[in-house]
Amino acid sequence: MGSDPRAAERNDRPDNLDTLLSTVHHRLGIAVVDRLNAHGGPPELRTPDLALDRLLAATHRATGTAVSRRMSRDASAAQRDSALQARLGARGPLARRPATIRVKYREETLRLVRNYWPVDLAEAVRTAVRIVQDLCELAVDSAQPLSRADTAVEQLRQHLEGMSLRPAPHRSQAAVTGLDYLDAVESALADPAERLADELHSIRELVDEELAPSVAALVTTGRAYPFGVEVVAQDLIDDLAQSCEYADALVKAVAEVERASNDFVGADLTNAKLDDVPLEGILWDATTLWPARWETRVRRASLPSGEEHGVLVVAAEGCDFVIHADA
């Protein structure tokens, strides 16, 4: 009869090897116990039989230890692989670009982040909301001089102008692959940034065309009719709330770009050119592969990240001793 190739394939699988080892261990244990019982226990065994039984017992223990270690090792490896896959999925599409490209253009990528996120724009929007709210209180508070309302309008104008500055488009003489990656980075940042800038432009027009004239009229007529200022102020607050959503979208885009630029846990960097690459802030672990002669240098310059067990971060100043990533 011919052999079944599918059965042979199944027997070659690692999980079937574990099953086979477990079965051998179990049956060997039964054989040892049966043999000892058949001879009335160890004290009545003859010397040759005792030597054989001791060999069987030692084999049984060694097989059990090997099976347990193998299963524990495979379970740990599966757990690490699962955690790594979850981490990769959470990084976003930019992190799926080749690690050698991401590390090569890391400096330019982080510069793009600073251009599109020079300050905390989400907090800046909330500050604008507070300025408008303070303006509403000035409009109805008879204890405050109305001249302060004009000052608040000018403060709001300057604040919105600083937030509305758009970065110049990226221009690079990098290689085609680098341009493709940097274009993808800028696209991820520019889309939410443009939506935010357009919304802020509309808000500035509302300030110039409606809020400022309403405040000027209030200064002229007194506080008898503050309703125009209050209505426009509420419209501004509603529009600024929409701007907060755009700012939050930009926050997410910035976080994705930073993860792609800093997180190299599990990455293969063996072919990367690192001579002029700033590595400070890079996250890595025992599964990260470095170019020859670089791993020891990186280890000496790394510290525990403090966020995840086994994850290190390249520090500005190195250590006097080597820290292992699996520690």
Side-chain angles (χ1 to χ4, degrees):
M1 295 179 65
S3 61
D4 185 355
R6 290 176 298 180
E9 180 181 355
R10 287 194 299 270
N11 289 333
D12 288 338
R13 294 175 181 172
D15 54 348
N16 286 333
L17 177 58
D18 292 336
T19 302
L20 178 60
L21 287 172
S22 297
T23 302
V24 169
H25 173 244
H26 178 68
R27 292 180 177 176
L28 184 56
I30 294 174
V32 170
V33 172
D34 288 347
R35 184 173 180 84
L36 290 175
N37 290 336
H39 289 80
E44 299 179 6
L45 294 177
R46 295 186 299 274
T47 301
D49 291 336
L50 181 59
L52 176 60
D53 290 336
R54 285 176 175 172
L55 176 61
L56 288 173
T59 304
H60 175 244
R61 288 192 300 270
T63 305
T65 301
V67 169
S68 298
R69 287 178 178 174
R70 179 184 176 87
M71 288 185 170
S72 176
R73 183 178 66 249
D74 291 349
S76 298
Q79 186 176 7
R80 286 195 301 270
D81 183 67
S82 176
L84 179 58
Q85 293 304 316
R87 186 189 190 97
L88 292 176
R91 289 177 182 171
L94 287 175
R96 291 192 282 273
R97 297 296 184 106
T100 53
I101 295 295
R102 290 190 287 119
V103 75
K104 180 177 181 179
Y105 296 102
R106 179 172 183 259
E107 186 173 16
E108 294 181 64
T109 300
L110 294 178
R111 181 178 61 79
L112 283 174
V113 169
R114 291 190 293 272
N115 285 347
Y116 281 93
W117 194 256
V119 295
D120 188 342
L121 294 177
E123 178 59 30
V125 172
R126 290 189 286 270
T127 299
V129 171
R130 289 193 291 270
I131 294 174
V132 176
Q133 291 171 337
D134 292 343
L135 179 59
C136 289
E137 294 177 3
L138 285 171
V140 298
D141 186 358
S142 58
Q144 299 289 338
L146 284 173
S147 59
R148 294 189 61 183
D150 282 330
T151 303
V153 172
E154 185 59 29
Q155 181 187 5
L156 181 60
R157 277 200 182 105
Q158 294 177 1
H159 187 74
L160 292 173
E161 183 178 1
M163 293 171 57
S164 302
L165 297 177
R166 301 192 188 198
H170 175 75
R171 294 291 180 266
S172 173
Q173 301 300 319
V176 176
T177 53
L179 279 175
D180 178 63
Y181 175 64
L182 292 175
D183 285 346
V185 168
E186 182 150 25
S187 177
L189 295 170
D191 289 346
E194 288 176 359
R195 290 194 295 270
L196 176 60
D198 290 341
E199 185 67 19
L200 292 174
H201 177 72
S202 299
I203 290 173
R204 291 174 65 191
E205 288 183 340
L206 183 60
V207 170
D208 293 336
E209 297 174 6
E210 297 191 34
L211 180 65
S214 298
V215 170
L218 186 66
V219 172
T220 301
T221 62
R223 290 188 171 85
Y225 304 100
F227 305 107
V229 174
E230 292 177 346
V231 171
V232 176
Q234 186 57 55
D235 290 342
L236 279 172
I237 290 174
D238 292 341
D239 291 345
L240 286 167
Q242 181 67 47
S243 297
C244 279
E245 296 183 9
Y246 295 145
D248 289 339
L250 183 54
V251 168
K252 293 179 181 178
V254 167
E256 179 188 343
V257 173
E258 288 180 336
R259 282 195 299 270
S261 303
N262 297 328
D263 192 341
F264 290 88
V265 171
D268 185 354
L269 297 171
T270 51
N271 296 319
K273 306 297 183 183
L274 302 178
D275 290 321
D276 297 319
V277 175
L279 299 181
E280 181 184 349
I282 281 182
L283 298 174
W284 64 285
D285 72 343
T287 62
T288 304
L289 302 179
W290 296 96
R293 299 179 292 104
W294 273 91
E295 183 169 359
T296 300
R297 295 171 61 181
V298 171
R299 286 187 184 278
R300 291 191 179 279
S302 297
L303 297 170
S305 67
E307 299 177 359
E308 299 177 65
H309 177 71
V311 176
L312 303 179
V313 59
V314 181
E317 297 181 2
C319 302
D320 294 331
F321 55 89
V322 174
I323 297 179
H324 294 283
D326 53 359

